[in-house]
Amino acid sequence: MDQRGMTRNELANSIHTRFEVVDKWYRGDISKIDLDILARICYVMECRVEELLIYEAP
């Protein structure tokens, strides 16, 4: 978002969800991944899933 000059509010409006949802993704404060939200973010941001998520083994 920062690289594209898009605000969290603009992204929330673009993917038709609440600001709070995007804000949690932005801060990395998600406990469950909603694949629909993930897909919409990737579509709007024109990116791949692995650009948004990082798997860290316990």
Side-chain angles (χ1 to χ4, degrees):
M1 287 177 12
D2 295 334
Q3 292 174 348
R4 296 180 188 276
M6 182 178 276
T7 66
R8 288 172 280 175
N9 196 45
E10 289 171 332
L11 180 59
N13 289 332
S14 295
I15 65 171
H16 307 289
T17 193
R18 297 183 345 256
F19 172 85
E20 294 80 12
V21 172
V22 171
D23 188 51
K24 283 186 175 190
W25 278 83
Y26 184 82
R27 292 183 288 117
D29 186 29
I30 53 174
S31 56
K32 293 190 298 186
I33 296 176
D34 183 329
L35 296 179
D36 183 54
I37 296 289
L38 178 59
R40 288 189 269 163
I41 291 172
C42 287
Y43 178 77
V44 168
M45 300 300 295
E46 298 176 347
C47 67
R48 298 172 55 148
V49 170
E50 54 269 20
E51 294 177 70
L52 300 176
L53 301 178
I54 299 171
Y55 174 75
E56 296 178 1

